[in-house]
Amino acid sequence: MLAFIGLSRETNVRLTNIVFWRPPGNRQPNASEVAMCWPFSKRHIELVQPKVILAVGGLSSQTMLTPALRITRDRGKWKTFEVNGAKVPLLPTLNPDYLLKQPINKREAWHDLLLLKHHLSENKVLTP
């Protein structure tokens, strides 16, 4: 999906997870698992110093912003995440696993990616 908007893990995208493993039974990570891993994920983000963050899925969006966030309601709306005192634009979007189960929502995820592409272009975040 990222390749279709000109992004690549090899050149200009860094991926990380909130929790570094999938819990037994492929269940959603619980609060204690998130609390254990979040400091490491947050530090990873601080070290990378991203210019923009695409928060994929409800868990990452809620962890980085607020537990009250609802991904189906709040996806596609630009937010801000503070990293080392800098305010970084953050765009919540749907998780690809969710899209496999609910393919009708791929339209919304594509819209989010186009918003990201526009932001990157308008703000000259990526250099050719």
Side-chain angles (χ1 to χ4, degrees), residues 6-7 11 13 26-27 30 36 44 46 57 59 70 73 80 87 89-90 102 105 114 118:
L7 299 176
T11 58
V13 172
N26 205 28
R27 66 169 167 74
N30 62 37
M36 182 178 12
H44 181 197
E46 290 170 349
L59 180 67
R70 294 296 166 251
R73 178 191 65 209
T80 302
K87 294 182 187 293
L90 181 148
Q102 301 291 328
N105 293 311
L114 292 177
H118 178 76

Side-chain angles (χ1 to χ4, degrees), residues 19 21-30 33:
V19 175
W21 64 87
R22 196 65 187 167
N26 205 28
R27 66 169 167 74
Q28 183 83 350
N30 62 37
E33 292 163 335

Side-chain angles (χ1 to χ4, degrees), residues 34 70 82:
V34 171
R70 294 296 166 251
E82 193 165 316

Side-chain angles (χ1 to χ4, degrees), residues 7-59:
L7 299 176
S8 163
R9 290 176 71 177
E10 288 77 29
T11 58
N12 52 20
V13 172
R14 173 78 57 115
L15 298 179
T16 190
N17 293 312
I18 299 298
V19 175
F20 305 111
W21 64 87
R22 196 65 187 167
N26 205 28
R27 66 169 167 74
Q28 183 83 350
N30 62 37
S32 65
E33 292 163 335
V34 171
M36 182 178 12
C37 295
W38 175 233
F40 298 99
S41 296
K42 187 175 181 188
R43 182 65 180 140
H44 181 197
I45 295 166
E46 290 170 349
L47 292 170
V48 170
Q49 297 179 336
K51 295 190 175 39
V52 66
I53 296 171
L54 181 67
V56 178
L59 180 67

Side-chain angles (χ1 to χ4, degrees), residues 33-101:
E33 292 163 335
V34 171
M36 182 178 12
C37 295
W38 175 233
F40 298 99
S41 296
K42 187 175 181 188
R43 182 65 180 140
H44 181 197
I45 295 166
E46 290 170 349
L47 292 170
V48 170
Q49 297 179 336
K51 295 190 175 39
V52 66
I53 296 171
L54 181 67
V56 178
L59 180 67
S60 63
S61 299
Q62 290 167 342
T63 302
M64 298 178 79
L65 297 170
T66 174
L69 183 138
R70 294 296 166 251
I71 194 64
T72 54
R73 178 191 65 209
D74 296 317
R75 54 134 292 275
K77 298 175 186 171
W78 285 102
K79 310 288 184 188
T80 302
F81 181 73
E82 193 165 316
V83 179
N84 292 332
K87 294 182 187 293
V88 178
L90 181 148
L91 183 65
T93 193
L94 301 169
N95 189 306
D97 187 54
Y98 171 78
L99 297 175
L100 290 174
K101 297 171 187 166

Side-chain angles (χ1 to χ4, degrees), residues 4-6 78 112-122:
F4 282 106
I5 63 165
W78 285 102
D112 297 347
L113 290 176
L114 292 177
L115 285 173
L116 175 63
K117 180 179 181 178
H118 178 76
H119 174 86
L120 296 173
S121 174
E122 286 292 307

